[in-house]
Amino acid sequence: MKIPTIHGYIDRRILINFSADPKSVENIIPFPFRPKIYKDKAIVGICLIRLKDIKPKGFPDYIGVNSENGAHRIAVEWDENGDTKSGVYIPRRDTSLKLNAFVGGRLFPGKHYLAKFNVQEANGKYHIDFKSSDETVTSIDATETKLFNENSIFETVENASDFFENGDLGYSPNKDKFDGLRLKAYKWEVQPLEVSHVKSSFFENEEIFPKGSVTFDNALLMTNIEHEWKSEQGK
């Protein structure tokens, strides 16, 4: 599937990151992908992103659409032409926009589940929760901070930032293949969030991830980022 280059603005993006048992992650990602390991752990997470003025590049902003979205992500590697490549595998996408849910997998990469989002943001505090059409639930309460989580396996916000910036290429399942989409952020700036509550029924599903195999690690915030999405060759 080839889509035109999409341009718009990331109004707000929260990356909720977990460390996970690599063996558990191996069980849910398809060939040719394998978990990307950081300090003996696989890295999984959720991207909660509000997009503004999304439209084909070159068109005026006023024709663009806005939406709240959630993407469950797994950091992966694969072999390609003798080299090791890295990115993210996205087993599911959720969206507030009916258009995305309708055309996902045909125009946009991957199936999109329609979800109801509840968002409250003020004075550096964030509450976001959503419930999807298949009853998947995600929620987070967080506050802007200058201090990175001292218990994170990444140790510093710079280490975490570099890791996720390098995961700019995402693959989503589409029937018997995987559609590729690369994020080109015009600037890359993250800041840490202090998290008081986080829930993901996907990562808490013990039929997929045995109890204790997934642990919250950190959360990062991005705001006001002009960007493009570019279609990449599928797999």
Side-chain angles (χ1 to χ4, degrees):
M1 182 186 69
K2 187 75 172 179
I3 64 172
T5 297
I6 301 298
H7 173 271
Y9 300 86
I10 296 172
D11 193 42
R12 180 263 300 133
R13 185 189 197 205
I14 293 177
L15 295 175
I16 311 172
N17 306 309
F18 302 80
S19 61
D21 171 48
K23 294 294 185 184
S24 298
V25 174
E26 285 176 0
N27 292 332
I28 64 167
I29 55 177
F31 180 84
F33 306 113
R34 60 181 179 269
K36 183 175 181 178
I37 305 301
Y38 189 92
K39 294 186 178 178
D40 299 324
K41 293 290 186 179
I43 304 299
V44 303
I46 309 159
C47 172
L48 298 174
I49 187 169
R50 181 166 60 239
L51 298 173
K52 291 181 64 177
D53 301 331
I54 299 299
K55 75 287 178 187
K57 186 177 181 180
F59 284 68
D61 287 347
Y62 68 81
I63 73 164
V65 297
N66 306 332
S67 62
E68 289 281 355
N69 304 274
H72 286 68
R73 301 149 40 96
I74 300 170
V76 294
E77 294 180 335
W78 63 93
D79 297 321
E80 186 175 305
N81 300 322
D83 295 324
T84 298
K85 304 289 186 178
S86 64
V88 292
Y89 174 67
I90 304 171
R92 67 171 294 131
R93 294 178 180 270
D94 299 271
T95 183
S96 67
L97 189 64
K98 290 182 179 180
L99 174 66
N100 285 352
F102 179 71
V103 302
R106 287 172 290 177
L107 180 59
F108 302 140
K111 178 180 179 180
H112 289 60
Y113 292 88
L114 187 62
K116 184 176 181 180
F117 282 76
N118 173 33
V119 179
Q120 301 171 36
E121 300 175 3
N123 303 317
K125 296 182 182 295
Y126 299 83
H127 170 85
I128 303 171
D129 68 74
F130 71 80
K131 185 174 184 179
S132 193
S133 56
D134 67 346
E135 304 298 311
T136 294
V137 175
T138 296
S139 64
I140 186 172
D141 290 284
T143 304
E144 293 179 17
T145 180
K146 296 184 180 300
L147 301 176
F148 188 62
N149 181 10
E150 63 181 9
N151 297 316
S152 169
I153 65 171
F154 290 100
E155 297 183 343
T156 70
V157 68
E158 291 80 13
N159 290 344
S161 177
D162 289 346
F163 182 91
F164 295 108
E165 185 176 10
N166 290 330
D168 61 346
L169 175 55
Y171 282 96
S172 301
N174 186 4
K175 298 180 181 178
D176 59 349
K177 61 183 186 301
F178 307 101
D179 294 328
L181 195 65
R182 188 181 297 275
L183 169 64
K184 178 186 176 183
Y186 288 14
K187 63 177 179 178
W188 182 272
E189 295 178 355
V190 304
Q191 69 180 88
L193 289 173
E194 181 180 354
V195 175
S196 58
H197 164 81
V198 62
K199 177 178 178 60
S200 165
S201 62
F202 181 80
F203 291 128
E204 293 170 9
N205 184 345
E206 294 182 9
E207 294 181 1
I208 302 174
F209 297 96
K211 187 174 182 178
S213 63
V214 178
T215 303
F216 171 74
D217 188 88
N218 71 84
L220 301 172
L221 172 69
M222 303 175 71
T223 58
N224 301 319
I225 305 294
E226 189 174 1
H227 74 289
E228 298 174 9
W229 300 104
K230 293 189 174 184
S231 183
E232 295 278 341
Q233 184 176 357
K235 295 191 177 299

